Amino acid sequence: MRKRIKRIFRMGMVFITIMLSLQMVRFAIETFGYTPSGNQKVSGNYRHYVTDECFHPYSEENYIGNNVLVHKKNGLSTFPFVFGDRLYLYDIEKESFTFVAGAWLPFTEIGTLFMTAENKIYYTIPVWTDGSTGGNMYCTDLNTKRTTKIPYDISYYIREEGAVYKNKLYYRKEDIDEDKEYRTKDYGIIFAADLDTQKEEIFKKGEIEFFKIKGNKMYCYDRKKKELSIIDLDSGKETIKKSSEKEYKMIAYNYTERKGKVYYDDEKYHVKQIDLENNTEKIIIDLLREKPFQYNKEYQENLWPAISYCDDYIAIENYYYSDYEKGDHTNLFIYDYHGKLLQKKQLW
């Protein structure tokens, strides 16, 4: 009996070792599936806000070119990595997935905090926590396939808002009670930290309510002066202007401009298009009209979409919870800029 138990134990260990080796080879092959293009993103942002209806991450940079970041949950197909989940870069045109990072232990996951810049992906891995933006931050370089850890002293502050440009991380310090000169509950000055030297400096003073980087320019709004500052991050030149309510919302949340048209999303699960020539506006995507959210109140109340304006597509990763389907699920919708649904994939 004892010999049989030992033999079964050895067979089990051999099986696990073989499966572990096969999965590691699989992930290694998937890691090298991405070929960086010349049309890389040079800046990235993360910001979220909370409405009375839902929590929603806005201004995430979930894409590079026509590639978008998505989650896949581990399971039996990834045995022995049955816990946690994986982060992939999905190539919309090739319909292929490239492995970026994985979380393998119980109660760990890839977080919801993303930034992409210069073919680099910044993400967090919360460990033993309910928060989806906590944990350590890492950077994976898609050119070299090298992953480095961002020092916690500077990555800590971007839980609510952060941006990266040319190896500098920009953030505000909102949760430091003893630093009353530089922060309040809802606004504060902007700091910048060099990711190589970890040297921190004050970048922009004022009662800054939000900031965002588009290309090589930073847009930041001073709530006291009610002014929008546009700062060229290469030259340091600053332009100050008053902004309309609509412009304020678009810059504060999530938008892009394509061929004389502006696209932005709102808290009602709409993507809207503004024609700048004739100043007309229309809804081109209404997520609540898509299955499974259509006419299903349970899904609608538990829907958290992340919308990415890629070069040629609008990609929406929809996370939702359902008691009927017994748990949480995620799918990916791909639209063109006319609002036509081109792809739909169940991620988990």
Side-chain angles (χ1 to χ4, degrees), residues 7-17:
R7 186 163 55 249
I8 293 173
F9 177 77
R10 283 198 299 268
M11 290 175 62
M13 292 302 297
V14 169
F15 174 76
I16 291 175
T17 302

Side-chain angles (χ1 to χ4, degrees), residues 237-254:
K237 181 180 178 181
E238 181 176 11
T239 303
I240 298 175
K241 60 178 289 190
K242 298 291 184 180
S243 61
S244 66
E245 182 179 357
K246 180 175 287 187
E247 183 181 29
Y248 166 89
K249 286 184 177 180
M250 286 192 299
I251 295 176
Y253 300 153
N254 197 12

Side-chain angles (χ1 to χ4, degrees), residues 45-79:
N45 301 273
Y46 173 81
R47 182 172 187 257
H48 83 248
Y49 85 112
V50 179
T51 69
D52 293 336
E53 299 177 1
C54 67
F55 163 87
H56 191 82
Y58 263 101
S59 302
E60 290 186 358
E61 297 291 359
N62 286 6
Y63 71 98
I64 299 176
N66 284 322
N67 300 266
V68 62
L69 289 167
V70 297
H71 293 83
K72 279 191 174 184
K73 188 171 261 188
N74 292 337
L76 292 179
S77 66
T78 56
F79 182 86

